[in-house]
Amino acid sequence: MIHEHAEHAHGNHHDEAKAETKSDAIKRLSYIEGHLAGVKKMVDDDRYCVDILRQTFAVRRALQKLESQLIDGHLRICVVDGVKEGREEQVLSELVELYEIADR
């Protein structure tokens, strides 16, 4: 009984972590959407290129932060689950694929 309870509690923690990661990602994406809309308006308004570039760099940093958070969540939750479930090859191949995509 104790073992089942511990697994159940762990499962809840897992679900909470996934929900928190999703909520954070949605907030970040909403911020990025708004920021990008602002950049588009700057272009439409013929704003100074340097000012536009400052904003595109900020959008890129926000995307990088989102990617970092998603990778962190993936490593802590999905990779751990995959290894526990015996899917090491799939997990490794996905990580290699992500590394290759990021390196392009």
Side-chain angles (χ1 to χ4, degrees):
M1 272 305 201
I2 294 171
H3 182 66
E4 288 177 12
H5 185 271
E7 276 188 25
H8 183 67
H10 178 70
N12 285 342
H13 175 69
H14 236 36
D15 293 342
E16 289 171 15
K18 284 183 179 181
E20 188 178 324
T21 298
K22 180 178 179 178
S23 174
D24 183 61
I26 295 295
K27 285 178 191 170
R28 289 177 187 280
L29 285 165
S30 294
Y31 168 80
I32 291 166
E33 275 181 329
H35 204 144
L36 203 49
V39 174
K40 184 177 180 183
K41 183 168 178 5
M42 289 177 75
V43 171
D44 193 41
D45 293 345
D46 293 320
R47 294 280 298 273
Y48 185 52
C49 292
V50 172
D51 292 338
I52 294 169
L53 286 167
R54 285 186 185 119
Q55 296 308 309
T56 61
F57 295 154
V59 169
R60 186 183 319 165
R61 282 192 305 276
L63 279 170
Q64 289 168 337
K65 181 65 175 172
L66 171 65
E67 290 167 346
S68 176
Q69 294 295 111
L70 290 173
I71 289 170
D72 182 70
H74 181 71
L75 291 173
R76 291 177 187 276
I77 298 170
C78 302
V79 169
V80 172
D81 285 351
V83 170
K84 285 180 180 176
E85 295 166 7
R87 294 183 287 112
E88 293 92 348
E89 287 303 315
Q90 176 191 351
V91 167
L92 286 173
S93 119
E94 288 172 349
L95 291 174
V96 167
E97 178 188 359
L98 288 175
Y99 178 78
E100 288 173 350
I101 291 169
D103 198 36
R104 289 184 193 153

